[in-house]
Amino acid sequence: MEDIYPKEDEIWKMGLLLIGDNDMNQSFMVGINDDNRDKILLERTDLHPRFIFIANNIFEFVRGFTIRPKELYLNGNKLSQLYRNWGEDFWRVREEEGNTSSSA
């Protein structure tokens, strides 16, 4: 953090620790001082206010997460084609309608 934020930056006075970022160049911070301990904030350097309260703790923050793979990484398949059978720990790809082939 010392390489990113100068010593006079307000994050040091606020007692914030960088824990991650997103693809919009926004940073996630966790409070480490007595008055903000465990609070999760979003830093938006291009907007005012700069810090937005997100959650009271990391558990509250991640509770609403869902994992959704990008179709870009599915080798031409669509998310709607993925399925799992009961008890399986792997994904299958359902053939799209009209793309089924029959063998004699």
Side-chain angles (χ1 to χ4, degrees):
M1 283 184 44
E2 291 174 354
D3 293 338
I4 300 169
Y5 300 100
K7 283 293 183 191
E8 61 274 2
D9 194 289
E10 65 184 309
I11 65 148
W12 302 109
K13 294 177 197 119
M14 293 175 67
L16 297 175
L17 178 67
L18 176 67
I19 58 172
D21 59 23
N22 62 23
D23 58 357
M24 296 174 11
N25 289 331
Q26 298 172 334
S27 298
F28 294 99
M29 306 275 188
V30 64
I32 57 174
N33 283 350
D34 289 338
D35 60 331
N36 67 356
R37 180 154 292 137
D38 297 333
K39 306 264 189 279
I40 308 296
L41 296 123
L42 178 68
E43 178 196 27
R44 310 172 316 162
T45 56
D46 57 334
L47 298 173
H48 185 74
R50 178 178 168 191
F51 298 99
I52 302 295
F53 172 81
I54 300 293
N56 285 307
N57 56 57
I58 195 71
F59 301 107
E60 184 180 301
F61 177 58
V62 299
R63 186 173 294 132
F65 281 17
T66 57
I67 298 173
R68 184 174 170 94
K70 293 185 177 186
E71 287 185 349
L72 171 71
Y73 305 119
L74 296 179
N75 298 322
N77 296 307
K78 296 179 181 172
L79 284 172
S80 61
Q81 292 176 266
L82 299 180
Y83 73 99
R84 289 193 322 191
N85 290 323
W86 185 264
E88 293 181 340
D89 60 356
F90 58 91
W91 290 92
R92 297 176 182 264
V93 178
R94 180 177 294 115
E95 290 292 326
E96 289 185 290
E97 290 183 28
N99 288 346
T100 56
S101 59
S102 60
S103 53

